[in-house]
Amino acid sequence: MTTSATILVLGIATAYLSGLLIFSAAICGILFIVFLVVTMFRHPERFPVATGTSEQFKQAISLFVGLPAILIVALGYIGMTEVIGEQQPYLVAILLHIAGIIGVLAMLRMPTSKQRQMRNNILSLHRYFHGEIDGPPMSIECYEHHLPFAVALGVEQRWTERFNLWRESEKMDAYAPDWRTSS
């Protein structure tokens, strides 16, 4: 976090001192809009859903009018601004600054190998609960052991249905947990 803040401050100072502050802000604005649109398509759950008609109208206006207008203004400014010879090294520094911010943000969001393994294990467990892959054979102990995980993943109903099908195929009586029958 300190690294990205330092890169940001140095980039802003360079842009200000070289007279390219608005130019670099336009470049960052374009990148921000592209990042926002990509994130909206890849992770729509991160963005709030408008409930009322007026909120939906505001969202539609900002998405279909506001963002393209900002993009057009930024591209117009970049296209109409002439970068003179002595500003070119600063422009390169600004572009490296933007690339540095993108690189730092990308590294911050990359999961570690342990996090990837945990995610893969959770996905495998989820598929096991749905019966898509083989796992431990069904038994009362297996059902009770995995039930808290099924609840955490929100598939407890499907897991219980699988258990009930197994119980019926084994011609077992109604199921009652050990703690309930012993008290």
Side-chain angles (χ1 to χ4, degrees):
M1 192 67 172
T2 313
T3 305
S4 61
T6 304
I7 291 172
L8 182 64
V9 168
L10 288 174
I12 292 171
T14 303
Y16 177 75
L17 294 174
S18 67
L20 295 172
L21 185 63
I22 297 173
F23 191 84
S24 65
I27 293 172
C28 288
I30 291 169
L31 292 175
F32 174 74
I33 290 172
V34 170
F35 173 75
L36 184 68
V37 170
V38 168
T39 304
M40 287 174 72
F41 282 112
R42 290 187 68 201
H43 302 286
E45 71 277 359
R46 293 184 183 174
F47 295 91
V49 176
T51 55
T53 307
S54 64
E55 290 178 27
Q56 290 175 343
F57 181 73
K58 288 177 186 176
Q59 277 186 348
I61 291 295
S62 66
L63 286 175
F64 297 116
V65 176
L67 291 180
I70 292 170
L71 195 63
I72 290 169
V73 168
L75 286 172
Y77 184 81
I78 290 171
M80 295 173 68
T81 302
E82 182 181 342
V83 178
I84 56 177
E86 58 259 7
Q87 287 180 325
Q88 287 179 353
Y90 297 110
L91 179 60
V92 171
I94 290 167
L95 294 175
L96 288 174
H97 153 253
I98 292 169
I101 289 176
I102 291 170
V104 168
L105 290 175
M107 286 189 301
L108 289 175
R109 300 195 52 90
M110 287 175 36
T112 64
S113 61
K114 187 173 183 176
Q115 289 171 330
R116 282 192 301 272
Q117 181 63 39
M118 288 173 57
R119 183 178 186 282
N120 290 340
N121 290 344
I122 290 171
L123 291 174
S124 295
L125 189 60
H126 193 272
R127 290 180 62 207
Y128 169 66
F129 288 146
H130 281 284
E132 297 172 3
I133 61 172
D134 292 333
M138 183 61 76
S139 66
I140 293 174
E141 293 79 21
C142 178
Y143 171 74
E144 289 177 348
H145 175 76
H146 287 92
L147 186 59
F149 301 108
V151 170
L153 292 174
V155 294
E156 67 274 8
Q157 185 172 353
R158 176 71 179 126
W159 182 238
T160 302
E161 288 172 4
R162 282 191 61 206
F163 174 70
N164 288 335
L165 288 173
W166 171 81
R167 191 179 46 78
E168 289 172 5
S169 70
E170 297 290 317
K171 301 193 181 7
M172 291 178 60
D173 292 333
Y175 167 73
D178 289 342
W179 58 269
R180 188 157 184 205
T181 56
S182 62
S183 61

